[in-house]
């Protein structure tokens, strides 16, 4: 495995949760696997005054709790912590960027990182245009003496206009090749496996089109509410939080043409083509194609679950959607006429993300059973999480007299692979950026294309408050009305934690 060049990772917003839970633990995982260069360091920047020692202590706590690889011993951990530094910094203050530049130069000399920097924006989104502009003003975008890369966290914009304006401001100081927009779904091993399943198996590709696929269903459910993130979620909702980025990306990977090569340009060219082929949902059609819901209070196993409107930081009259079900089409040769269904929500019965490819029924039904039953027998379930794996459902003869058909499962679970380490999404993505590989990062035009599709829905909700927000009791599969969206096809699949346990009792 190629190691990245020597460099310094500079995290803006280092006193926040993301650094503590994801970023530093993931870099530690890279360190444990010997995937970091010897000349490497992390400089955390945050408003809180912290000494290097206090920062290291806090990060060591994060590592113990959240790293995939636990420290072998204190010496191993200390060796990593020695690479961590902290500098109190107010991101907004222009006057602080010159002293920051000097601090970077000092550290760069001390660690011999040869002017290679990765700047990670883990700040509130309002800072995204500001930091790169100031960095550029001080020449910290200039790659003459070493690489300068910029990682931008989600949310990437709030709507099409803000995403376009953010892209514009980033591109003012940095080139597209220097910008790494994170969508952590692409960092998931099982999401990447979707590409391998499709493009390394001769058996699937010939069937992967409108002639053989009846519809595609993507579910991403969570069994928790918004918790302490009510303030952020109020201004976001499921459409912005999950659909515009993660779920449209999953749909793109299902639908894309084989790229010429697995590299940043080829892959992202194909993804953007899918996003540009999404049939627009006009404002007047929103009620027909999109259904939104919000969880209400309920009691499960004797325990009361809060309504969304009772969550901290949420307006008691909020109309923010915590559930969304949507039907859409991709207008291109491969997918013409094939409906795609997406469903996502908080406070649903279980945490599951999966893609279900429903194949067409056989043209003539020799054996008992109606069309809907025949169709159910031909599903390919790609499980992103948990119980990661793949399940193929098909019909088999029930032994004995007559010809009775029964559904059986052929399944593969990642857990069956011995000694296989599944890296976390952030670990994979951080390593890729360190290596200068943007294949698994979103390109500006793709982000804008996704917003272009989502924008009329947001506008319709804003302009037509009469479009209903359906209530659903916390712990259920969302508003009953979502069944109407998929009616005529059959019903949604109701997945369990356990990939092959569908149709069985599902633990709430
Ligand atoms: C984040 C959203 O991007 O993705 C969260 O902001 C959501 O609201 C999370 O919970 C889901 O990610 P994962 O990896 O747990 O499926």
């Amino acid at each position: 495995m190629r190691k990245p060049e020597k460099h310094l990772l500079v995290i803006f917003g280092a006193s926040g949760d993301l650094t503590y839970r994801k970023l530093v633990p993931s870099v530690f995982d890279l360190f444990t696997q010997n995937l970091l260069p010897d000349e490497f360091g992390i400089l955390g920047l945050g408003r809180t005054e912290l000494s290097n020692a206090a920062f290291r202590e806090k990060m060591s706590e994060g590592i113990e709790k959240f790293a995939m690889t636990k420290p072998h011993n204190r010496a191993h951990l200390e060796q990593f912590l020695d690479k961590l530094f902290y500098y109190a910094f107010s991101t907004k203050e222009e006057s602080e960027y010159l002293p920051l530049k000097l601090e970077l130069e000092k550290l760069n000399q001390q660690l011999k990182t040869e002017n290679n920097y990765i700047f990670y924006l883990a700040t509130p989104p309002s800072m995204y245009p500001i930091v790169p502009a100031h960095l550029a003003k001080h020449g910290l975008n200039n790659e003459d003496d070493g690489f300068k890369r910029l990682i931008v966290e989600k949310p990437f914009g709030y709507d099409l206009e803000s995403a376009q304006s953010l892209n514009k401001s980033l591109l003012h100081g940095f080139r597209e090749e220097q910008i790494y927009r994170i969508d952590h779904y692409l960092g998931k091993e099982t999401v990447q496996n979707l590409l391998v399943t499709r493009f390394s198996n001769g058996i699937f590709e010939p069937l992967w089109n409108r002639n053989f696929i009846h519809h595609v269903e993507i579910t991403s459910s969570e069994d928790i509410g918004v918790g302490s993130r009510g303030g952020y979620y109020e201004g976001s909702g499921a459409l912005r939080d999950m659909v515009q980025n993660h779920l449209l990306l999953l749909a793109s990977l299902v639908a894309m043409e084989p790229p010429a090569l697995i590299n940043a340009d080829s892959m992202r060219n194909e993804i953007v083509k899918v996003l540009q082929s999404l049939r627009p949902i006009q404002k007047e059609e929103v009620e027909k194609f999109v259904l939104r819901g919000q969880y209400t209070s309920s009691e499960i196993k004797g325990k009361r679950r809060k309504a969304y409107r009772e969550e901290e930081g949420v307006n008691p009259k909020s109309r923010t959607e915590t559930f969304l079900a949507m039907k859409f089409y991709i207008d291109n040769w491969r997918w013409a006429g094939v409906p795609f269904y997406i469903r996502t929500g908080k406070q649903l019965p279980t945490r599951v993300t999966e893609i279900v490819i429903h194949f067409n029924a056989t043209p003539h039904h020799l054996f008992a059973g109606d069309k809907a039953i025949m169709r159910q027998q031909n599903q390919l379930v790609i499980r992103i999480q948990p119980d990661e794996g793949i399940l193929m459902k098909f019909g088999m003869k029930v032994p004995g007299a007559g010809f009775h058909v029964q559904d059986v499962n052929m399944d593969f679970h990642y857990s069956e692979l011995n000694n296989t380490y599944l890296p976390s999404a952030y670990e994979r993505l951080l390593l890729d950026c360190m290596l200068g590989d943007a294949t698994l990062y979103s390109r500006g035009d793709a982000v804008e294309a996704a917003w272009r599709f989502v924008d009329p829905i947001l506008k319709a909700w804003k302009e037509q408050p009469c479009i209903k927000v359906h209530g659903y009791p916390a712990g259920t599969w969302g508003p009953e009305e979502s069944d109407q969206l998929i009616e005529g096809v059959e019903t949604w699949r109701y997945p369990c934690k356990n990939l092959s346990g569908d149709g069985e009792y599902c633990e709430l």
Side-chain angles (χ1 to χ4, degrees):
M1 182 86 187
R2 187 162 64 92
K3 269 198 193 182
E5 287 174 57
K6 18 190 108 169
H7 69 277
L8 191 60
L9 173 63
V10 184
I11 304 177
F12 289 83
S15 38
D17 232 30
L18 185 74
T19 309
Y20 173 74
R21 286 170 172 264
K22 301 276 188 201
L23 304 183
V24 171
S26 304
V27 179
F28 176 77
D29 288 328
L30 294 174
F31 173 74
T32 304
Q33 294 162 81
N34 197 20
L35 290 171
L36 293 181
D38 293 338
E39 290 82 9
F40 168 78
I42 297 182
L43 178 65
L45 305 175
R47 284 222 308 212
T48 324
E49 289 283 345
L50 278 182
S51 63
N52 281 343
F55 182 59
R56 289 172 183 173
E57 195 42 48
K58 187 172 169 210
M59 293 302 119
S60 82
E61 211 183 277
I63 292 169
E64 297 279 1
K65 280 197 194 150
F66 301 110
M68 309 278 286
T69 55
K70 297 300 164 212
H72 309 322
N73 49 45
R74 189 69 204 176
H76 171 219
L77 181 62
E78 294 284 349
Q79 215 186 335
F80 176 74
L81 294 177
D82 282 350
K83 297 178 181 295
L84 268 51
F85 303 85
Y86 186 84
Y87 181 74
F89 179 76
S90 171
T91 320
K92 271 192 204 146
E93 298 304 326
E94 192 181 343
S95 59
E96 297 209 9
Y97 282 78
L98 185 59
L100 171 65
K101 185 180 180 185
L102 302 176
E103 179 69 18
L104 289 176
E105 282 169 3
K106 200 175 87 193
L107 209 53
N108 172 56
Q109 280 200 357
Q110 181 186 329
L111 301 175
K112 303 189 174 59
T113 43
E114 293 188 343
N115 301 306
N116 292 324
Y117 295 109
I118 295 180
F119 301 109
Y120 199 116
L121 299 188
T123 60
S126 55
M127 292 291 118
Y128 293 175
I130 297 174
V131 179
H134 290 324
L135 291 176
K137 224 181 210 167
H138 290 89
L140 288 164
N141 57 344
N142 187 326
E143 296 202 290
D144 290 346
D145 55 352
F147 68 68
K148 310 287 179 299
R149 298 177 188 145
L150 186 68
I151 305 186
V152 189
E153 256 300 327
K154 68 167 276 238
F156 199 89
Y158 183 77
D159 53 16
L160 177 60
E161 201 184 324
S162 56
Q164 283 171 328
S165 124
L166 178 55
N167 267 336
K168 221 167 140 185
S169 66
L170 296 182
L171 288 167
H172 201 66
F174 288 77
R175 287 173 301 111
E176 178 63 39
E177 295 71 38
Q178 293 174 279
I179 304 172
Y180 292 71
R181 297 171 194 79
I182 268 207
D183 183 320
H184 78 280
Y185 264 56
L186 251 186
K188 290 180 191 274
E189 194 64 34
T190 41
V191 172
Q192 293 154 31
N193 188 44
L194 180 54
L195 298 172
V196 175
T197 304
R198 284 195 56 196
F199 302 132
S200 77
N201 291 299
I203 54 171
F204 295 123
E205 194 49 28
L207 304 180
W208 213 264
N209 58 52
R210 66 181 187 283
N211 298 322
F212 297 95
I213 292 180
H214 187 269
H215 68 282
V216 176
E217 180 183 349
I218 301 178
T219 292
S220 182
S221 68
E222 291 180 272
D223 55 0
I224 49 169
V226 291
S228 58
R229 296 170 74 224
Y232 149 76
Y233 201 85
E234 262 297 84
S236 165
L239 183 59
R240 289 188 177 94
D241 188 51
M242 288 296 291
V243 178
Q244 183 275 337
N245 37 52
H246 310 321
L247 300 186
L248 286 181
L249 179 74
L250 289 185
S252 306
L253 297 181
V254 170
M256 70 193 265
E257 294 303 316
L261 297 166
I262 292 289
N263 67 23
D265 278 344
S266 305
M267 267 275 292
R268 301 189 303 175
N269 284 346
E270 298 307 333
I271 289 177
V272 85
K273 278 188 216 160
V274 176
L275 293 167
Q276 287 168 345
S277 311
L278 293 172
R279 183 187 301 173
I281 296 177
Q282 307 297 344
K283 278 199 269 178
E284 322 69 72
E285 299 173 316
V286 166
E287 268 190 290
K288 190 170 154 208
F289 287 98
V290 186
L291 184 127
R292 58 177 167 165
Q294 189 189 82
Y295 58 85
T296 56
S297 67
S298 69
E299 197 175 299
I300 292 179
K301 291 187 180 163
K303 266 184 119 180
R304 184 177 183 276
R305 292 217 195 169
K306 273 188 195 170
Y308 174 68
R309 291 178 181 184
E310 295 169 315
E311 301 276 14
E312 191 192 319
V314 170
N315 177 347
K317 291 189 174 155
S318 170
R319 287 174 63 79
T320 298
E321 78 288 358
T322 60
F323 174 94
L324 185 135
M326 175 194 259
K327 173 181 180 178
F328 62 90
Y329 290 93
I330 298 172
D331 283 339
N332 63 17
W333 279 47
R334 189 185 279 266
W335 296 108
V338 177
F340 279 66
Y341 296 90
I342 277 182
R343 180 178 53 160
T344 184
K346 302 240 181 238
Q347 284 289 16
L348 300 187
T350 190
R351 175 176 181 255
V352 156
T353 301
E354 67 175 26
I355 298 162
V356 190
I357 310 295
H358 296 258
F359 290 95
N360 280 334
T362 51
H364 175 62
H365 311 305
L366 279 178
F367 310 110
D370 64 22
K371 228 180 164 186
I373 290 170
M374 293 301 289
R375 248 197 322 265
Q376 266 191 16
Q377 291 168 347
N378 295 277
Q379 292 175 9
L380 180 71
V381 183
I382 300 167
R383 179 59 76 88
I384 307 297
Q385 62 194 23
D387 192 9
E388 293 81 359
I390 292 194
L391 175 82
M392 179 80 206
K393 286 170 98 65
F394 60 99
M396 198 202 76
K397 181 180 177 298
V398 178
F403 280 98
H404 296 291
V405 183
Q406 179 195 324
D407 256 6
V408 288
N409 292 340
M410 206 156 73
D411 47 355
F412 156 74
H413 305 250
Y414 271 77
S415 56
E416 287 160 6
L417 296 173
N418 281 338
N419 296 326
T420 300
Y421 171 74
L422 282 191
S424 72
Y426 274 92
E427 181 187 331
R428 169 67 199 252
L429 292 173
L430 280 165
L431 178 63
D432 281 4
C433 175
M434 292 173 182
L435 290 165
D437 180 356
T439 309
L440 300 179
Y441 283 85
S442 308
R443 206 167 59 191
D445 52 355
V447 174
E448 287 185 16
W451 276 119
R452 194 163 286 116
F453 175 67
V454 158
D455 234 32
I457 305 170
L458 291 169
K459 287 210 173 102
W461 286 348
K462 194 167 163 200
E463 290 163 13
Q464 303 167 48
C466 57
I467 299 180
K468 282 191 186 141
V469 180
H470 299 268
Y472 62 96
T476 64
W477 277 106
E480 282 169 10
E481 289 80 357
S482 68
D483 289 345
Q484 287 156 20
L485 203 75
I486 203 163
E487 226 174 42
V489 174
E490 47 183 74
T491 77
W492 298 96
R493 200 178 104 90
Y494 291 100
C496 265
K497 273 201 177 78
N498 170 352
L499 170 59
S500 35
D502 60 340
E504 290 170 12
Y505 168 74
C506 183
E507 182 76 9
L508 286 184

